[in-house]
Amino acid sequence: MTPEITPTDATLGATVRNVRLDAIDDETFAAVEAAWHAYAVLMFPDQHLTEEAQVAFSERFGPLERSLTKTHTQGDPAIIHLSNVKKDGTLWGADSDTGRLLHGNNFWHTDSSFKRIPAKGSALSAKIVPKTGGETAFADMRAAFDALEPAMRDWLADKTAVHSYAYSQSKVGGMGGITEDEWDSLPPVEQPVIRTHPATGRRNLYIGRHASHIVGEDQEESRRLLERLCADACRPPRIFVHKWREGDLVLWDNRCVLHRGLGHPPDQPRRMVRTTIAGDAGDANEWVA
Ligand code: OGA
Ligand code: MN
């Protein structure tokens, strides 16, 4: 089976067909991994993986993150349920802790940038897709880096930003569902604003909603700069929108891609399953001990 790879019109993203992720041999995996490095986001239609098969496929890229919060996990902490559907089939409203957590995903971000060692990748699969909306958008931070003015590129080269989950959630009404201990395990961390991808050697912007401000700069001014960088970065031709169908799995590279949900009417169910590939310390450039 040779994977059939169809790039999007944007600077990132490709659809991969003719591959079964629950029965992938080493040669096919190598082709998928190479495509992942080239396109940064891969869409695999019609996979309909079980949670176990999604874990097994994700683990081929490295160990998985365990969710720091209990809010979204049931059983295996490596499986995160992003869902507005309660156990009894009714829906969480926008004004619940779950609703606020899901709403946070609707702003450009990269997963786990608020952890000391942020995520390498995420795999998300669609179990229940709303009739309208619910798409996910992706933005290419490699091309965004390439598009920076040289003076800005040079200025940002040695900057670090403070990333904080408390900061990003405060912008969407906080999150009562997190326990004191869980908050204690999520102190603000510093990440470089420019990263070099360990596999491709390409440099990219590393920003998003968890990035609060730049270390050593005026807090308000650098916050506005980060917001402007994000707005400029997340524009065509560097973005595309994935319209989900049940059974799709999308795999993205958190090291060089931002993503966000586009939201959907609150009276419609949406159920997604995410697995998150942990970053290795070697990915994290020199700021990690
Ligand atoms: C995620 C995420 C957005 C969406 O799974 O990490 O941000 O559209 N998802 O569900
Ligand atoms: Mn996310």
Side-chain angles (χ1 to χ4, degrees):
M1 248 194 199
T2 310
E4 222 179 83
I5 297 169
T6 313
T8 68
D9 294 335
T11 59
L12 78 171
T15 301
V16 186
R17 295 193 178 81
N18 205 34
V19 57
R20 284 270 312 276
L21 298 183
D22 58 359
I24 191 169
D25 60 28
D26 289 347
E27 197 186 329
T28 310
F29 178 75
V32 165
E33 194 179 35
W36 192 49
H37 292 150
Y39 298 106
V41 183
L42 298 180
M43 293 160 281
F44 301 92
D46 291 322
Q47 292 291 329
H48 299 279
L49 295 190
T50 62
E51 292 183 354
E52 293 70 28
Q54 180 169 337
V55 166
F57 171 65
S58 306
E59 278 180 335
R60 297 199 67 154
F61 295 86
L64 303 188
E65 279 192 4
R66 310 285 157 203
S67 177
L68 279 173
T69 79
K70 295 185 185 63
T71 314
H72 280 288
T73 56
Q74 305 146 10
D76 187 343
I79 297 168
I80 299 175
H81 294 260
L82 295 174
S83 170
N84 66 343
V85 188
K86 293 186 205 172
K87 278 205 187 81
D88 67 5
T90 61
L91 304 185
W92 290 109
D95 208 21
S96 61
D97 287 334
T98 299
R100 278 187 283 275
L101 186 135
L102 293 171
H103 183 56
N105 281 344
N106 293 354
F107 300 88
W108 290 112
H109 66 282
T110 174
D111 291 332
S112 299
S113 69
F114 52 81
K115 293 184 187 171
R116 195 176 65 86
I117 299 179
K120 176 190 285 187
S122 294
L124 187 65
S125 59
K127 305 296 178 189
I128 301 174
V129 174
K131 282 191 193 67
T132 46
E135 302 90 346
T136 307
F138 296 91
D140 188 345
M141 294 300 108
R142 308 165 304 176
F145 172 82
D146 294 344
L148 289 173
E149 296 288 338
M152 179 59 82
R153 221 186 267 183
D154 292 345
W155 189 80
L156 291 174
D158 62 352
K159 298 292 182 289
T160 56
V162 173
H163 289 238
S164 154
Y165 197 52
Y167 165 70
S168 53
Q169 280 306 118
S170 73
K171 291 193 295 189
V172 291
M175 200 175 124
I178 292 193
T179 66
E180 198 90 339
D181 282 356
E182 287 170 346
W183 277 125
D184 285 349
S185 68
L186 293 170
V189 297
E190 292 180 14
Q191 312 286 6
V193 177
I194 307 289
R195 288 180 72 162
T196 303
H197 196 287
T200 65
R202 277 186 81 177
R203 288 199 289 172
N204 64 267
L205 265 177
Y206 190 73
I207 52 178
R209 77 181 188 104
H210 305 303
S212 155
H213 58 277
I214 296 177
V215 177
E217 300 296 319
D218 179 78
Q219 184 160 319
E220 285 309 313
E221 234 173 80
S222 64
R223 182 164 292 170
R224 279 197 299 276
L225 172 63
L226 289 173
E227 284 166 1
R228 197 166 66 239
L229 286 170
C230 193
D232 289 346
C234 298
R235 285 192 192 169
R238 296 179 288 273
I239 52 172
F240 77 91
V241 171
H242 179 65
K243 188 152 178 42
W244 294 94
R245 290 190 342 166
E246 281 163 24
D248 289 355
L249 181 139
V250 176
L251 173 73
W252 64 86
D253 191 329
N254 280 305
R255 297 167 293 188
C256 59
V257 173
L258 293 183
H259 63 281
R260 75 182 190 97
L262 298 191
H264 62 94
D267 59 348
Q268 293 185 24
R270 182 177 190 261
R271 194 164 83 77
M272 314 290 286
V273 171
R274 197 181 89 196
T275 40
T276 315
I277 304 149
D280 24 75
D283 281 353
N285 301 338
E286 56 283 350
W287 86 97
V288 158

